[in-house]
Amino acid sequence: MKNTKPMKLILMGIQGCGKSTQGNLLSKELHLPYLSSGHILREMAKEKTPLGRYIKETINSGILVSDKKMAVIMEEYLKRPEYANGWILDGFPRTVEQARDFPHIVDHVLYLHVSDKEALWRLSYRNDVVREDETLKAIRVRIELFHKVTEPVLTFYERKKKLLRIDGEQEIKKVNQSILKHLSK
Ligand code: AMP
């Protein structure tokens, strides 16, 4: 499927639901750039500055970077020319405040649903990337925060009729096909 219009997509779901796998697949298929807020923050955490240290501490404990800082960081990226013709965002917005203050009109929000049990199982057996912020404690905090703070964002987009719920427990190819089918409707 060749992307002909500047589509703006958001991927949501608990850690381990397959957002980055699906985001990268969709990026190739739809010719849209993929941008992960977690990836941006992990790069910023390497900087030996007060902001870099704050981000490192925050992401390693699994809690969230402040809404104000996130809005500035994301805008810094999205105003770049490569994002002018649409994008696939992974990990942002993650709070209702971030969604409410986001200045872009989103076309679809793809919610990859997997159970907490399945996500924890996948993360414990994931050995492709070893990440400093992937301790079991931080993963549990992230899952808890998803239910408490990020689930209301799903409701926010559901009310706007933008939410597409996908069964993320299917195999990778099937999840991808379900997304493409929903998007072509
Ligand atoms: P992720 O790779 O999406 O799991 O993000 C890793 C970590 O980055 C999260 O646990 C948060 O500490 C931080 N983070 C990523 N996106 C956001 C966001 N939209 N708002 C606040 N913190 C974020």
Side-chain angles (χ1 to χ4, degrees), residues 37-38 41-42 58-59 62-65 70 91-92 94 98 131 133 142:
S37 56
L41 292 171
R42 280 187 289 282
T58 309
I59 65 177
I63 57 170
L64 297 180
V65 171
M70 282 315 297
F92 185 93
R94 227 170 170 113
Q98 290 177 8
R131 266 170 43 185
D133 65 331
R142 266 184 216 115

Side-chain angles (χ1 to χ4, degrees), residues 120-132:
L120 276 167
W121 189 88
R122 286 184 187 181
L123 291 164
S124 338
Y125 290 94
R126 177 151 100 179
N127 53 11
D128 50 343
V129 245
V130 179
R131 266 170 43 185
E132 198 186 337

Side-chain angles (χ1 to χ4, degrees), residues 14-145:
I14 51 177
Q15 192 181 7
C17 73
K19 289 189 303 279
S20 69
T21 304
Q22 294 300 329
N24 282 298
L25 280 173
L26 289 172
S27 170
K28 288 195 196 93
E29 289 158 344
L30 302 172
H31 307 275
L32 290 168
Y34 165 75
L35 190 61
S36 143
S37 56
H39 178 76
I40 295 174
L41 292 171
R42 280 187 289 282
E43 288 304 306
M44 291 179 79
K46 292 178 189 160
E47 292 164 18
K48 306 260 176 278
T49 59
L51 179 63
R53 278 190 286 274
Y54 157 77
I55 291 176
K56 186 175 174 178
E57 263 176 41
T58 309
I59 65 177
N60 284 357
S61 57
I63 57 170
L64 297 180
V65 171
S66 79
D67 289 336
K68 268 205 186 116
K69 283 200 174 62
M70 282 315 297
V72 175
I73 294 168
M74 296 315 289
E75 224 22 60
E76 186 67 34
Y77 276 82
L78 293 176
K79 71 179 184 204
R80 295 181 184 173
E82 60 263 41
Y83 298 108
N85 287 319
W87 31 253
I88 301 168
L89 264 191
D90 164 354
F92 185 93
R94 227 170 170 113
T95 67
V96 171
E97 286 71 20
Q98 290 177 8
R100 221 177 30 212
D101 297 340
F102 194 40
H104 302 270
I105 295 172
V106 172
D107 293 293
H108 303 285
V109 176
L110 308 166
Y111 171 39
L112 306 186
H113 179 263
V114 303
S115 67
D116 294 1
K117 199 171 147 213
E118 168 74 12
L120 276 167
W121 189 88
R122 286 184 187 181
L123 291 164
S124 338
Y125 290 94
R126 177 151 100 179
N127 53 11
D128 50 343
V129 245
V130 179
R131 266 170 43 185
E132 198 186 337
D133 65 331
E134 279 196 346
T135 58
L136 191 60
K137 197 168 161 221
I139 291 168
R140 285 191 191 281
V141 172
R142 266 184 216 115
I143 290 182
E144 205 185 303
L145 277 176

